[in-house]
Amino acid sequence: MDDGKPTGPQAKWWSRPTTGRPGRAEPESRALGEDTPPAPPGAGDPAAPGSGADPSHPTASAPDHPAAPADAAPPGAGQASHRPRPSGAPLHEPDAYSTPPYGDPGPWAPAPPVQRPTPAHGTPVPPQAAAPSPQHPSPVPPPTGVQGGPAPVQPHPAPVQPQSQQHPTALQQQPAPAPVPAQWGQYDPWAAPGQPLTQLGPPAGTEPGRRKNRRGGAFAGVLLLTLVASGIGGGVGAYIERNGGLTTVELPQASRTTTDRAPESVAGIAASALPSVVTLHVSGTAESGTGTGFVLDNRGHILTNNHVVAPAGTTGDITVTFSSGETATAELVGKDSGYDLAVVRVRGVSGLKPLPLGNSDNVQVGDPVVAIGAPFDLSNTVTSGIISAKQRPITAGGEKGDGSDISYVDALQTDAPINPGNSGGPLVDTQAHVIGINSAIRAADSGKGPERGGQSGSIGLGFAIPINQGKRVAEELINTGRATHPVIGVTLDMKFTGDGAKVGTKGADDGPAVTKDGPAAKAGIRSGDVITAVQGQRVHSGEELIVKIRAHRPGDRLELRLTRGGEELTITLTLGSSSGT
């Protein structure tokens, strides 16, 4: 059992080293640099406390002991012997430099601190190097080398230092020292007073290179941990930023309802009209196009614009796609370029829903309207607006150059967005009744009038053929395949720049400008007359007169106002009829 007492080899008291053998006087001097360490203070004074010498003998010698092996003796150290320690005396001289009296740790105590030689005859010793008094001995640290203690450390033997000539000292025989510890191999015995006698090296396993490696590894670990923590923190922060917190967020929301919209609302109108609206894809030998149409009856007749089906010619294909996605092939029933209207028919399709027709004469400026179509082939597109104007005379077409494809329309103007692809689609009122057929837009990049099929977007200037005119033409196309045009029987001077429509001087093929036995001739109209109003509406050009006349049916009676030689006249006539193209 370990009771605190040393059980292994005990630390031994190293006697003061001397420069000679026992019983032999020391040489008076030695050369500086030899392995002779300085004697500790009081070594030459027999009366010095703690010296272990007998005061009655100027020089003490140790009892005889067997000599240590020659190969174990440290360099410069003579043979040493041991003397019994007087009772109460410290194990060795006090260490002025705070050097531990024992090794780090081990069975052997380290060599006593090296002392500088002191002058003879009581020269004062520095306070830090003074020996303790007998009345106040220095406490002695416990010896090392006990069982279970640290590994033994090999002490470094103290070199012999030359002594003063007045204090010769006998060389004591010492046992063979243990291997020199690392810290004792790095001190300078000739260092300046007041400096530690040992310069401790790095502990085992803590060499500078290894310490640097450990520090580098620790730094890399801290850096990696910082990066990982930063990444985790950034991810958590981003998640919180996106989701507003670490918990699941559920926003309040109204429950789903199946409440129907009011029939007069845009949603109600669209829900009612969309099943009757179709998209047409037309392809011919030279060109193709897309437009819109709507169902007229259960027999499969569909009304659209003439310029929508024109690319098909007489041998092209016309495909109709319903709002449900069902498709069918259509055939041309009839068309008229003067009104820009056409009728196609699909067969073998059931469940057709005709779109009811309204009365365009009842429309007022400012009434809300909804336009439905496939602008840029975007089927089932719904836009809304109002009636911006009525009886807006427009002309469209004229690509052939001979005037045979020009359309004259007394149109309804709307600001509901209409774009290429809306042509032929319905313009409906709040009751989902058709009041017009969307046909033309005013393009922002053209100042020449309304254009069909232009690629410019809507600028809020859309034009629709009044359904009253469309109904009459559609009926004629379905029944006869051709439409009739109302006429008054005159040839107009289209180069006239004055206000009104001027009757020309010559007609076609150099014939008379006023057709013989025609409606105008019967009413008394002459060549050179300027017609200024129809049914009380002002006429500013020849195109406007044609538009106003075509807004009526053949056989209708019209009141015209005209000027002749500066005199204003009012006449009444009955409209005639001509076959359209």
Side-chain angles (χ1 to χ4, degrees), residues 424-440:
L427 185 69
V428 300
D429 60 13
T430 56
Q431 296 179 347
H433 293 170
V434 181
I435 60 173
I437 302 101
N438 302 316
S439 300

Side-chain angles (χ1 to χ4, degrees), residues 333-412:
V333 174
K335 62 180 181 178
D336 187 274
S337 60
Y339 289 110
D340 191 24
L341 292 173
V343 175
V344 297
R345 185 180 183 181
V346 293
R347 299 181 184 274
V349 179
S350 60
L352 294 176
K353 180 183 178 181
L355 193 60
L357 306 180
N359 192 325
S360 54
D361 290 341
N362 297 331
V363 175
Q364 299 295 323
V365 174
D367 285 349
V369 290
V370 174
I372 304 175
F376 299 100
D377 203 16
L378 299 174
S379 301
N380 303 323
T381 298
V382 177
T383 57
S384 63
I386 62 170
I387 295 296
S388 304
K390 293 174 60 177
Q391 299 177 338
R392 186 75 74 186
I394 64 170
T395 59
E399 285 82 2
K400 292 183 178 180
D402 58 359
S404 61
D405 61 338
I406 296 177
S407 301
Y408 299 90
V409 180
D410 197 24
L412 298 173

Side-chain angles (χ1 to χ4, degrees), residues 217-233:
F219 177 77
V222 172
L223 180 59
L224 178 60
L225 181 60
T226 303
L227 293 176
V228 172
S230 301
I232 295 175

